[in-house]
């Protein structure tokens, strides 16, 4: 099991206003900000990581908040919907909460005999809550308002909208070890049995679809989880053998990454479990300091002046 792709590691999306993003994910959804850092490729903007207490892979949603970027548009070649697992019986709580905070929600939808509750974040990022058929033992982060009976446990699945699904399905099955387990209309479900959660990918086939536009409220990339760098390098070889290009290994401080564009147009990443978010902050203090990679530490004063002030109380 350990040398396999272990489901999702994280998903990264784009936001506009940093404060609005922080308030929504920590206060309304009740997730933990597990790391506050900057975009390593653009250190004048934040990079926020939200997850459970430890920021375990499969629970981490990250954002680049680019003030003024404006709204993007979902379309083919993109990850278009993120589903979070919640405990059985919690939909009533979430519906009331979304009503109170004026969160945009949709009518519940049924897929594969499971009910999804759709909602959107303040930038329009399309998300759902779901009580999965399979048991989810992950321990959630809790807050004064979102307790263990209702709290989000982490990802259930992500949906990829694709004009031509087959080449992407090939990567998921032949390279990443997922199996196609179900189909309903134009939705194809893939599952890996290497992990008990964050193990599902849906492909939505849409041959008449139009390409999306990547800006606020859309997903930038999805990252798959591997145990360590050795496993990661083995998968990099497999990606190259499949005729795709991949970046070299990049140090992201909290994990190591390689990136490649899968044939359907979605940016995929393979990220390691090591070293994790406690490498530069103790568990109790995760997310409470602005952490910078060492190449930017000497520019800390300048960076702190440029970044928007974030009220965290
Ligand atoms: Zn990433």
């Amino acid at each position: 099991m350990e040398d396999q792709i272990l489901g999702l590691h994280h998903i990264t999306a784009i936001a506009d206003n940093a404060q609005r993003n922080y308030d929504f994910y920590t206060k309304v959804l009740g997730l933990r900000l597990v790391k506050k850092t900057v975009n390593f490729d653009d250190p004048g903007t934040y990079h926020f990581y939200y997850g459970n207490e430890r920021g375990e892979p499969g629970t981490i949603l990250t954002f680049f908040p680019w003030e003024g970027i404006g709204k993007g548009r979902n379309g083919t070649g993109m990850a278009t919907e993120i589903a979070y697992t919640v405990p059985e019986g919690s939909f009533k709580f979430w519906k009331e909460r979304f009503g109170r905070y004026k969160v945009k929600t949709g009518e519940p939808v049924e897929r594969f005999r499971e009910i999804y509750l759709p909602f959107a974040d303040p930038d329009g990022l399309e998300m759902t809550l779901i009580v999965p058929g399979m048991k989810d033992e992950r321990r959630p982060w809790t807050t004064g308002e979102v307790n263990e009976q209702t709290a989000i446990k982490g990802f259930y699945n992500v949906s990829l909208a694709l004009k031509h699904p087959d080449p992407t399905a090939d990567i998921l099955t032949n390279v990443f070890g997922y199996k196609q387990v179900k189909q309903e209309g134009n939705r194809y479900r893939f599952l890996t049995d290497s992990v008990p959660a964050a193990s599902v990918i849906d492909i939505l086939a849409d041959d008449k679809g139009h390409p999306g536009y990547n800006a606020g409220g859309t997903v930038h990339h999805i990252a798959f989880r591997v145990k360590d760098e050795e496993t990661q390098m083995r998968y990099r070889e497999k990606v190259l053998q499949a005729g795709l290009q991949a970046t070299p290994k990049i140090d992201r401080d909290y994990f190591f990454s390689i990136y490649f564009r899968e044939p359907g147009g979605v940016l995929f990443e393979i990220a390691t479990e090591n070293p994790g978010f406690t490498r530069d902050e103790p568990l109790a203090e995760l997310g409470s300091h602005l952490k910078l990679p060492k190449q930017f530490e000497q520019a800390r004063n300048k960076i702190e002046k440029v970044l928007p002030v974030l009220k965290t109380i």
Side-chain angles (χ1 to χ4, degrees):
M1 288 293 178
E2 292 206 330
D3 59 355
Q4 295 183 345
I5 293 283
L6 304 169
L8 291 168
H9 184 287
H10 66 269
I11 298 173
T12 293
I14 302 171
D16 193 309
N17 182 268
Q19 185 73 53
R20 187 175 66 176
N21 178 262
Y22 173 84
D23 288 345
F24 183 77
Y25 284 94
T26 61
K27 292 174 186 168
V28 180
L29 294 190
L31 301 174
R32 186 179 196 191
L33 179 72
V34 293
K35 196 62 65 182
K36 179 170 63 173
T37 181
V38 293
N39 182 337
F40 291 8
D41 303 316
D42 177 14
T45 57
Y46 282 117
H47 192 182
F48 295 152
Y49 291 79
Y50 304 104
N52 70 358
E53 183 184 19
R54 294 178 171 276
E56 280 162 337
T59 75
I60 310 159
L61 183 58
T62 100
F63 285 91
F64 300 128
W66 274 302
E67 183 80 36
I69 189 166
K71 208 170 155 4
R73 189 184 62 244
N74 270 344
T76 51
M78 292 171 88
T80 53
E81 187 193 285
I82 298 164
Y84 271 136
T85 298
V86 291
E88 204 169 344
S90 64
F91 272 11
K92 187 166 172 284
F93 167 86
W94 285 107
K95 280 183 189 165
E96 281 172 13
R97 189 165 181 80
F98 288 160
R100 183 150 25 103
Y101 285 99
K102 302 197 169 27
V103 176
K104 203 177 143 210
T105 53
E107 288 302 313
V109 288
E110 189 180 330
R111 296 172 190 154
F112 306 116
R113 299 190 173 181
E114 293 172 322
I115 309 291
Y116 286 76
L117 179 65
F119 68 100
D121 88 351
D123 288 292
L125 185 67
E126 290 183 21
M127 310 183 83
T128 52
L129 298 179
I130 178 193
V131 179
M134 49 182 150
K135 213 161 171 51
D136 191 328
E137 306 282 2
R138 291 176 292 179
R139 282 279 305 278
W141 177 248
T142 56
T143 69
E145 292 186 17
V146 185
N147 65 24
E148 190 121 20
Q149 276 73 51
T150 51
I152 288 171
K153 291 170 182 281
F155 298 132
Y156 179 66
N157 73 314
V158 65
S159 300
L160 314 178
L162 300 169
K163 230 170 152 65
H164 308 293
D166 292 352
T168 306
D170 276 350
I171 299 293
L172 288 176
T173 54
N174 296 332
V175 181
F176 280 5
Y178 282 70
K179 290 189 183 75
Q180 190 188 315
V181 288
K182 289 173 189 169
Q183 185 203 342
E184 205 175 75
N186 67 335
R187 181 177 291 271
Y188 299 80
R189 173 150 293 186
F190 296 82
L191 175 79
T192 175
D193 55 11
S194 61
V195 276
S199 55
V200 177
I201 305 282
D202 282 358
I203 288 182
L204 278 169
D206 185 2
D207 61 359
K208 295 190 180 60
H210 296 286
Y213 169 61
N214 209 206
T218 63
V219 171
H220 187 264
H221 64 266
I222 67 171
F224 293 85
R225 168 185 184 180
V226 286
K227 184 171 171 32
D228 53 25
E229 296 153 74
E230 204 185 311
T231 317
Q232 180 183 48
M233 284 303 116
R234 272 207 300 277
Y235 275 98
R236 186 175 184 277
E237 261 323 294
K238 291 186 187 190
V239 168
L240 296 179
Q241 277 164 17
L244 301 172
Q245 309 230 335
T247 66
K249 181 175 77 176
I250 299 170
D251 184 353
R252 292 302 188 194
D253 272 19
Y254 311 105
F255 42 85
F256 294 91
S257 299
I258 67 155
Y259 301 85
F260 68 98
R261 181 100 34 205
E262 58 82 27
V266 184
L267 186 60
F268 277 8
E269 175 182 347
I270 300 175
T272 61
E273 290 178 358
N274 60 300
F277 294 105
T278 50
R279 81 172 273 281
D280 60 0
E281 272 175 316
L283 183 60
E285 293 172 24
L286 286 184
S288 52
H289 315 281
L290 176 68
K291 304 309 290 188
L292 298 176
K294 56 179 181 314
Q295 67 268 32
F296 296 136
E297 201 50 71
Q298 86 284 5
R300 177 176 280 274
N301 285 345
K302 211 168 123 198
I303 289 171
E304 284 182 348
K305 276 200 196 87
V306 173
L307 288 170
V309 175
L310 189 70
K311 292 198 212 81
T312 53
I313 296 168

